[in-house]
Amino acid sequence: MDIQIASILAVDGIATGAIYVLIALGTVLIFSVTRVMFVPFGDLAAYSALTLAMLQTGQLPGTVMLVSVLAGIALLMELTSHLRAGKAAKIPKAILYYGILPVLPPLIAWLSQGTVLPFWAQMLLALALVLPIAPLLDRIAFRPLADASVLVLLIVAVAVHFAISGLALLFFGPEGYRTEPISRAIFDVGGVIVSAQTLLVVLAAAAFSGLLYLYFERTISGKALKATSSNRLGARLVGIRPQVTGTIAYLLGGLLGGVSGLLIGPVATLYYDSGFLIGLKAFVGAVVGGLASYPLTALGAIAVGLLESFASFWSSQIKETIVFSALIPILIWRSLAAPQHEEEEEDIA
Amino acid sequence: MIQLPQYLLDVCRLSVSYGKVEAVRDVSLHVDRGQIVTIIGPNGAGKTTLLSALMGTLPSHGEVFYDGAALAGTEIEDRVERGLCLVPEKRELFADMPVADNLLLGAYTRRHDAAHVRRSFELVYDRFPRLKERRGQLAGTLSGGERQMLALGRALMGEPRLLMLDEPSLGLAPLIVREIFQIISSLRELGVSILLVEQNARAALETADYGYVLETGEISLEGKASDLIHDARVTATYLGGHD
């Protein structure tokens, strides 16, 4: 391998890694706030890419149906729980949040059927269609189990993943899709060819990571999310509702997943089940950050992208094996490097 | 007919069970506006359990009225919004966040009122200058006394009407215990009512207006704090070897 090939592989790896960064950050965000290992995260990316592909070919994506049905179920659950608790005053808010807001994007998609939307509007619509999926799944599948153990929540998340990716097969069929690139421009940076699409992927990942950082450091709502992950009981004792911070975490996660789907759509052919593998690789990145540290997670995700890129050069057959084998040394390093937390809680003096 | 409720907190025959074991049985007590009321008793008497039930972190039977309204069926966060605030035994701070952020989140229920948040910061930093010095430091790196101050400060940020303190002196050096109790009795000026649970019976009775003795889940004795401190039984059991 000469320097030329290495730099091409590096550029490719960083671009792939940037996608993993978005998904890994979302995974860590949702896990730390809600304790749910959100396995269907990669599926969200696949959904947004495939939804966009459908919109670009002038079809009504199945996401419209999925979101409408999920919103209906969530609304029903919300209403019965309020009625049972005798809290009729909370019903108008429930109707707004579960009956109206989530079905707006499907409604727009349905109404705009037949008219050719501009490119940017299609992307926005695809994103808006994917955005409500994660918070609605939270309301339906995870909130009734709020006090369950992490393991139970993980098992439910796996079940939700199978349901969601199975529905994707129904909605989008078994064929692969590739969406229109945002830009076809190509740059020559010191002999290395970099496409504008690659550049855009890296820039978008950096921008969203930066925004996430500002949200956590500068806003009280972001700090409430951090507080929920730091100490759940402490957060409740100052009046922070874990249900609310959980919904915000799922919304932000849905946004990150949706955006990453729009970004990979043009560079890779995606199938209904492509999301799982993407989510799994992002998870390896998240493990580097111990499912807690955002900067380490981002670095880990980039490293996974690079490793995958170089591994596919050495042996494209076992590149996945190489990436997932990296988990073993990472876990050994983490367990050696991690300080012992157990005693800290009891230490009062 | 409008009638101002007599007590800020009125607990009638409250019971809490862990499975079949009744940890708190038929406890009735009340807190007047502006009063400091203490519950003393030995380890395992059910003091922490009682406060947890009042805050809503544990299910309970019996009636609890706060400011005239029944608390049954309301969530922890609703109670916080109505000015009921618990400083738990384990403090439950946000260890990986700076002191200033811990305080800011204490004012979470009043977050839309920027002027209020600024005033509360001034009030808390005024009372706890040490917290102001350490405002950029992570809460997890504070000493035990500072952590208790931060827990108190975080609670005050929300402008509570009834502050429930669970063992504020636990594990602290005697000098710091005295400081904490001075701060607690100074909170009276702010119009905060306090329900204080303590094992350090002498300090608690010296600070409080009224006291209850909780033994094996039941109230065994109650009275003015100044009377209890001279009561023969209390002196023998709880004040004996303390001086």
Side-chain angles (χ1 to χ4, degrees):
Chain A
M1 184 193 316
D2 58 16
I3 192 84
Q4 179 80 21
I5 295 175
S7 55
I8 291 173
L9 289 176
V11 168
D12 188 44
I14 289 173
T16 322
I19 301 280
Y20 296 153
V21 168
L22 291 180
I23 297 179
L25 288 179
T27 306
V28 173
L29 172 68
I30 292 180
F31 179 74
S32 64
V33 176
T34 67
R35 304 179 305 128
V36 173
M37 191 64 241
F38 197 62
V39 184
F41 210 105
D43 296 316
L44 292 182
Y47 261 83
S48 80
L50 296 175
T51 302
L52 181 61
M54 296 297 246
L55 287 173
Q56 283 176 346
T57 52
Q59 301 171 61
L60 190 67
T63 328
V64 168
M65 173 87 121
L66 176 72
V67 172
S68 312
V69 171
L70 287 179
I73 299 173
L75 179 64
L76 216 64
M77 290 174 75
E78 192 74 356
L79 290 182
T80 43
S81 83
H82 285 327
L83 285 177
R84 251 192 224 154
K87 288 173 182 158
K90 290 190 173 176
I91 286 178
K93 227 178 176 179
I95 292 178
L96 175 68
Y97 285 142
Y98 293 99
I100 299 175
L101 286 181
V103 295
L104 282 181
L107 196 68
I108 292 170
W110 189 70
L111 288 177
S112 66
Q113 214 182 343
T115 56
V116 180
L117 290 170
F119 186 67
W120 287 104
Q122 286 174 343
M123 288 187 69
L124 274 181
L125 185 57
L127 191 59
L129 276 168
V130 172
L131 210 50
I133 296 178
L136 289 174
L137 287 175
D138 166 49
R139 177 64 192 89
I140 296 168
F142 297 108
R143 204 180 293 172
L145 299 167
D147 297 319
S149 70
V150 172
L151 187 61
V152 171
L153 293 171
L154 172 66
I155 292 167
V156 174
V158 171
V160 169
H161 153 70
F162 280 119
I164 289 294
S165 74
L167 285 172
L169 176 60
L170 182 71
F171 293 147
F172 307 112
E175 314 86 41
Y177 291 91
R178 204 177 258 246
T179 54
E180 298 286 319
I182 297 164
S183 162
R184 287 181 200 277
I186 281 173
F187 306 105
D188 186 332
V189 185
V192 182
I193 306 290
V194 180
S195 74
Q197 183 70 28
T198 306
L199 221 57
L200 201 70
V201 168
V202 176
L203 284 179
F208 276 97
S209 314
L211 283 177
L212 205 60
Y213 174 80
L214 284 180
Y215 174 68
F216 280 127
E217 292 302 315
R218 296 270 180 265
T219 69
I220 190 153
S221 148
K223 285 175 180 176
L225 252 69
K226 240 167 111 181
T228 313
S229 57
S230 167
N231 187 330
R232 227 177 156 72
L233 177 61
R236 296 197 69 184
L237 288 177
V238 298
I240 298 169
R241 289 169 204 275
Q243 302 97 306
V244 175
T245 47
T247 303
I248 296 174
Y250 276 107
L251 265 178
L252 286 174
L255 179 70
L256 292 172
V259 167
S260 57
L262 296 184
L263 291 173
I264 25 172
V267 284
T269 306
L270 289 183
Y271 298 85
Y272 73 97
D273 60 351
S274 301
F276 184 59
L277 204 57
I278 299 171
L280 220 50
K281 285 180 190 153
F283 174 73
V284 177
V287 170
V288 174
L291 285 175
S293 158
Y294 292 100
L296 275 180
T297 297
L299 283 178
I302 295 275
V304 170
L306 285 171
L307 182 63
E308 189 186 351
S309 165
F310 281 90
S312 62
F313 177 75
W314 290 318
S315 162
S316 63
Q317 274 177 326
I318 58 162
K319 66 169 184 167
E320 320 288 17
T321 317
I322 294 175
V323 170
F324 291 120
S325 309
L327 261 178
I328 297 168
I330 292 171
L331 284 173
I332 293 174
W333 163 70
R334 281 227 58 107
S335 65
L336 291 178
Q340 299 301 313
H341 280 298
E342 279 80 7
E343 276 158 23
E344 226 167 62
E345 293 289 300
E346 299 304 319
D347 168 29
I348 308 164
Chain B
M1 199 175 71
I2 298 165
Q3 193 186 356
L4 192 69
Q6 196 182 356
Y7 303 116
L8 182 58
L9 183 75
D10 193 355
V11 180
C12 296
R13 299 174 62 90
L14 186 82
S15 299
V16 188
S17 325
Y18 294 105
K20 283 187 176 167
V21 185
E22 243 184 358
V24 168
R25 193 164 40 248
D26 280 344
V27 165
S28 297
L29 58 86
H30 49 254
V31 180
D32 267 331
R33 289 185 170 70
Q35 248 191 353
I36 299 182
V37 173
T38 185
I39 302 171
I40 57 173
N43 228 341
K47 305 188 295 291
T48 297
T49 307
L50 177 60
L51 287 195
S52 306
L54 292 178
M55 198 62 220
T57 54
L58 278 178
S60 58
H61 295 284
E63 286 182 311
V64 181
F65 296 95
Y66 170 73
D67 204 14
L71 280 184
T74 58
E75 284 161 30
I76 302 175
E77 296 87 348
D78 296 318
R79 297 179 197 213
V80 176
E81 270 167 21
R82 285 162 61 182
L84 189 65
C85 186
L86 171 69
V87 177
E89 194 178 327
K90 289 189 174 169
R91 317 331 184 203
E92 308 292 355
L93 298 171
F94 308 123
D96 49 3
M97 295 174 77
V99 166
D101 281 355
N102 271 269
L103 291 175
L104 177 68
L105 288 166
Y108 184 77
T109 54
R110 313 265 194 277
R111 62 190 178 283
H112 300 300
D113 182 355
H116 165 88
V117 175
R118 213 173 322 116
R119 261 201 323 275
S120 301
F121 262 116
E122 274 168 27
L123 181 127
V124 169
Y125 281 153
D126 211 35
R127 233 156 252 271
F128 304 98
R130 199 102 57 91
L131 292 183
K132 191 173 187 179
E133 285 165 29
R134 317 227 154 187
R135 60 184 181 272
Q137 206 173 314
L138 295 186
T141 65
L142 296 179
S143 74
E146 287 163 349
R147 265 193 250 178
Q148 182 56 49
M149 288 180 194
L150 180 56
L152 272 172
R154 186 179 74 177
L156 289 177
M157 289 293 292
E159 228 166 58
R161 297 174 61 203
L162 177 63
L163 194 55
M164 301 194 289
L165 306 176
D166 195 356
E167 304 275 8
S169 75
L170 190 73
L172 301 184
L175 216 64
I176 298 168
V177 171
R178 190 176 309 167
E179 200 180 334
I180 294 281
F181 274 101
Q182 272 165 6
I183 291 165
I184 292 172
S185 68
S186 78
L187 294 182
R188 233 190 283 248
E189 308 156 16
L190 299 175
V192 186
S193 310
I194 294 172
L195 184 58
L196 170 67
V197 159
E198 259 297 343
Q199 273 194 68
N200 187 341
R202 179 172 299 277
L205 289 174
E206 278 169 359
T207 312
D209 301 298
Y210 200 84
Y212 294 88
V213 180
L214 190 68
E215 282 169 334
T216 57
E218 285 174 292
I219 302 275
S220 61
L221 198 63
E222 65 174 281
K224 277 189 189 159
S226 51
D227 293 342
L228 283 181
I229 210 163
H230 298 298
D231 183 274
R233 263 185 62 204
V234 173
T235 316
T237 320
Y238 300 108
L239 305 176
H242 266 277
D243 323 56

